[in-house]
């Protein structure tokens, strides 16, 4: 089957422009043609696109999908207190079925706000993969790893997950290891996770330099070394690294990392809410890094809305640098699309609307008040658009959201199951 968006508007994130009067042809799972309208392209289905804006699907480069249970559960705390006193005690009661339904809820919200690809760090990742396959989204499953008596079992779990899920669902699902952080993984275990990554595809996902406390603790424990320098000294430098947060990344570290292999993952909502600080985005960009954008989990955000993240990312950094040009709208949109694709090592297939790439597309309704008047559509996407403006979402050329309705799953059922299971979790934890 083929689909033609005729006479529409295309966000060209690489060129930094919106192309109007374009015909975009999808055949199967890929974009087969993109050219000025009126040149005779035909398809089985034609959608008139004058009042639409087609964007590359957003890529949420860092999240914890199964944590949707803890949305609005533990707030107004610093990271250390939040993790140790609120989140980890409740997480201990989660099982695979909980994580399946919680992940589905997060993925439903993600699709409804224009996200077509995610990178998730959690556990019971086979159930996350099951949910991703069911709802039709693209994603990188990264099993969170921490030190303890079950270290070897966790490493074997990643190998098993890779064997069963890597490149499954017609290639939409990929797998990589994810050591949680330097404060939850011993030096020996970190090295083991790096070796495991080398045995697979050379990609790793890790939290680093998220808080001032982590920075100070690292210097105290590792002979004055900052977290990223410590990780590089352990051998992480040859790996393709997704580095979540990087709030306290130093310019020395920016100079030291390989710009083609190290990708900071910026999470402005979570960093603001947990009072972690402000990632130095302008310095990263000036140093040639390609930061990507993520929501973090529902419990620290408290949502999966990438448009909200785009909006915050732009505003915070203007104020932080006292410079209205510090992070232009198009740069933030690149972080949410092509930079995310680079971070996930998926740039050859997703991240921009180019002929030959996968048809992962978010369709915005330009008749929304948020796009009226149509002065500058790039500015509108960054500063005024909301998830309610997302009309359709396609992954692999297949509608997964159509006219604001999820195509493959029952959202009401998902909501019901999550609410029921949260009540059961409270009882398990003695909080009912």
């Amino acid at each position: 089957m083929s689909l033609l968006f005729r006479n529409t508007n295309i966000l060209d994130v690489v060129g930094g422009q919106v192309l109007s009067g374009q015909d975009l042809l999808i055949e199967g799972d890929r974009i087969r043609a993109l050219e000025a309208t009126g040149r005779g392209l035909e398809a089985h289905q034609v959608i008139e696109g004058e009042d639409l804006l087609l964007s590359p699907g957003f890529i949420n480069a860092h999240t914890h999908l199964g944590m949707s249970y803890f949305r609005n559960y533990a707030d107004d705390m610093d990271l250390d207190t939040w993790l140790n006193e609120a989140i980890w005690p409740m997480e201990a009661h989660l099982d695979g079925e909980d994580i399946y339904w919680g992940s589905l809820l997060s993925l439903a919200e993600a699709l409804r706000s224009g996200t077509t690809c995610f990178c998730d760090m959690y556990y019971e990742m086979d159930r996350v993969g099951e949910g991703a396959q069911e709802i039709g989204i693209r994603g990188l499953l990264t099993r969170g790893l921490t030190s303890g008596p079950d270290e070897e079992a966790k490493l074997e779990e990643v190998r098993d997950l890779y064997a069963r899920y890597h490149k499954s669902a017609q290639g939409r699902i990929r797998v990589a290891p994810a050591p949680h952080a330097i404060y939850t993984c011993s030096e020996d275990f970190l090295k083991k996770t790096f070796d495991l990554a080398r045995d697979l595809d050379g990609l790793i996902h890790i939290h680093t330099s998220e808080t001032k406390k982590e920075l100070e603790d690292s210097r105290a424990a590792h002979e004055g070394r900052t977290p990223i320098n410590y990780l590089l000294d352990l051998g992480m430098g040859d790996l393709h690294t997704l580095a979540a947060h990087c709030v306290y990344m130093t310019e020395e570290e920016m100079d030291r990392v390989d710009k083609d292999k190290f990708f900071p993952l910026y999470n402005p909502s979570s960093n603001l809410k947990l009072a972690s600080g402000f990632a130095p985005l302008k310095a990263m960009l000036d140093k040639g890094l390609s930061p990507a954008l993520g929501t973090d989990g529902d419990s620290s955000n408290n949502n999966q809305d990438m448009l909200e993240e785009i909006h915050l990312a732009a505003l915070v950094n203007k104020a932080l640098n006292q410079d209205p040009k510090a992070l232009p709208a198009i740069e933030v949109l690149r972080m949410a699309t092509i930079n995310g694709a680079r971070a996930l090592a998926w740039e050859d297939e997703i991240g921009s609307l180019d002929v030959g790439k996968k048809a992962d597309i978010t369709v915005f309704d330009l008749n929304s008040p948020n796009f009226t008047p149509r002065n500058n559509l790039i500015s509108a996407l960054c500063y005024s658009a909301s998830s309610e403006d997302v009309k359709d979402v396609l992954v692999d050329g297949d509608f997964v959201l159509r006219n604001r309705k999820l195509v493959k799953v029952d959202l009401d059922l998902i909501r019901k199951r999550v609410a029921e299971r949260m009540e059961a979790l409270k009882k398990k934890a003695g909080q009912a």
Side-chain angles (χ1 to χ4, degrees):
M1 295 289 288
S2 56
L3 170 63
L4 176 66
F5 285 92
R6 184 161 58 197
N7 188 28
T8 196
N9 306 284
I10 304 291
L11 174 61
D12 172 12
V13 290
V14 177
Q17 60 186 329
V18 170
L19 305 173
S20 298
Q22 299 291 305
D23 286 355
L24 185 144
L25 176 65
I26 298 168
E27 291 180 345
D29 62 353
R30 295 186 183 269
I31 300 170
R32 293 302 180 191
L34 177 59
E35 55 189 55
T37 195
R39 296 188 180 182
L41 291 177
E42 299 291 342
H44 295 98
Q45 181 182 2
V46 177
I47 296 175
E48 296 298 331
E50 183 178 0
D51 294 325
L52 303 175
L53 172 63
L54 275 57
S55 166
F58 298 137
I59 298 170
N60 186 345
H62 179 71
T63 188
H64 308 286
L65 295 170
M67 297 184 78
S68 55
Y69 293 95
F70 311 129
R71 185 200 316 265
N72 309 315
Y73 168 75
D75 298 313
D76 305 327
M77 304 175 185
D78 64 86
L79 177 67
D80 192 61
T81 304
W82 178 77
L83 283 174
N84 285 285
E85 297 184 15
I87 297 302
W88 284 342
M90 282 294 287
E91 274 187 330
H93 298 284
L94 288 174
D95 61 25
E97 192 72 3
D98 292 326
I99 290 173
Y100 166 75
W101 287 107
S103 297
L104 268 179
L105 181 64
S106 292
L107 291 172
E109 185 181 2
L111 286 177
R112 284 163 55 87
S113 61
T115 297
T116 57
C117 182
F118 67 86
C119 177
D120 188 42
M121 181 196 289
Y122 217 47
Y123 60 105
E124 299 281 358
M125 294 303 292
D126 55 333
R127 302 309 307 276
V128 180
E130 184 181 336
Q133 290 178 346
E134 184 175 344
I135 205 167
I137 200 169
R138 187 182 307 280
L140 176 62
L141 309 177
T142 70
R143 205 293 190 195
L145 301 167
T146 56
S147 287
D150 55 351
E151 288 178 358
E152 294 302 325
K154 289 176 181 175
L155 295 175
E156 191 56 37
E157 186 181 325
V158 176
R159 292 185 187 277
D160 180 64
L161 183 73
Y162 185 91
R164 291 189 294 122
Y165 276 91
H166 190 63
K167 297 189 177 178
S168 65
Q170 293 77 52
R172 289 196 307 275
I173 304 298
R174 295 182 178 181
V175 174
H180 177 263
I182 64 171
Y183 54 85
T184 50
C185 296
S186 69
E187 179 175 318
D188 181 62
F189 188 55
L190 283 168
K191 291 178 179 178
K192 288 180 179 179
T193 66
F194 296 167
D195 287 340
L196 174 60
R198 294 183 188 100
D199 289 344
L200 303 181
D201 293 303
L203 187 148
I204 207 155
H205 183 198
I206 188 170
H207 297 95
T208 188
S209 300
E210 184 175 0
T211 65
K212 189 175 182 180
K213 181 179 186 302
E214 180 188 342
L215 176 69
E216 292 172 346
D217 288 352
S218 177
R219 284 176 167 154
H222 305 300
E223 300 174 327
R225 287 175 291 180
T226 55
I228 294 170
N229 274 329
Y230 169 64
L231 290 165
L232 292 173
D233 287 348
L234 295 187
M236 192 182 72
D238 67 317
L239 297 172
H240 184 110
T241 302
L242 286 77
H245 300 296
C246 294
V247 173
Y248 290 90
M249 187 177 189
T250 66
E251 292 201 15
E252 176 201 358
E253 291 170 331
M254 294 178 203
D255 289 331
R256 186 179 175 192
V257 297
D258 186 332
K259 309 300 190 293
D260 295 322
K261 290 183 177 180
F262 186 93
F263 295 88
L265 310 178
Y266 181 38
N267 301 264
S269 290
S270 178
N271 296 155
L272 286 166
K273 183 166 172 283
L274 293 168
S276 298
F278 305 95
L281 265 292
K282 188 176 187 302
M284 291 176 184
L285 291 166
D286 289 345
K287 293 283 188 179
L289 288 162
S290 299
L293 196 62
T295 60
D296 213 352
D298 286 305
S299 55
S300 64
N301 184 298
N302 295 359
N303 61 50
Q304 295 290 298
D305 190 338
M306 280 290 284
L307 279 162
E308 182 175 296
E309 223 62 28
I310 288 166
H311 187 73
L312 269 178
L315 299 186
V316 165
N317 285 276
K318 295 178 191 307
L320 178 63
N321 292 278
Q322 299 184 36
D323 178 4
K325 299 179 180 179
L327 200 58
I330 189 60
E331 200 65 63
V332 183
L333 293 172
R334 288 178 181 135
M335 289 167 57
T337 56
I338 191 65
N339 284 12
R342 290 169 181 154
L344 272 61
W346 229 324
E347 185 187 1
D348 59 331
E349 293 198 314
I350 60 174
S352 60
L353 300 184
D354 294 319
V355 173
K357 283 196 173 185
K358 294 282 190 176
D360 289 10
I361 301 171
T362 297
V363 181
F364 289 89
D365 181 2
L366 294 183
N367 288 323
S368 160
N370 293 324
F371 284 98
T372 304
R374 300 178 191 178
N375 288 324
N376 182 321
L377 296 183
I378 288 175
S379 290
L381 265 185
C382 185
Y383 299 121
S384 66
S386 78
S387 59
E388 292 300 313
D389 303 324
V390 176
K391 184 175 186 292
D392 305 316
V393 174
L394 299 94
V395 177
D396 269 353
D398 189 19
F399 283 103
V400 290
L401 185 79
R402 188 77 171 110
N403 293 317
R404 296 289 303 149
K405 300 290 186 183
L406 291 163
V407 174
K408 299 177 183 292
V409 297
D410 182 339
L411 180 56
D412 288 338
L413 175 63
I414 295 168
R415 290 175 53 249
K416 179 182 178 183
R417 290 286 183 269
V418 170
E420 291 170 346
R421 300 191 78 83
M422 184 58 187
E423 290 307 308
L425 274 172
K426 289 178 181 178
K427 290 180 181 178
K428 289 180 186 177
Q431 297 183 13

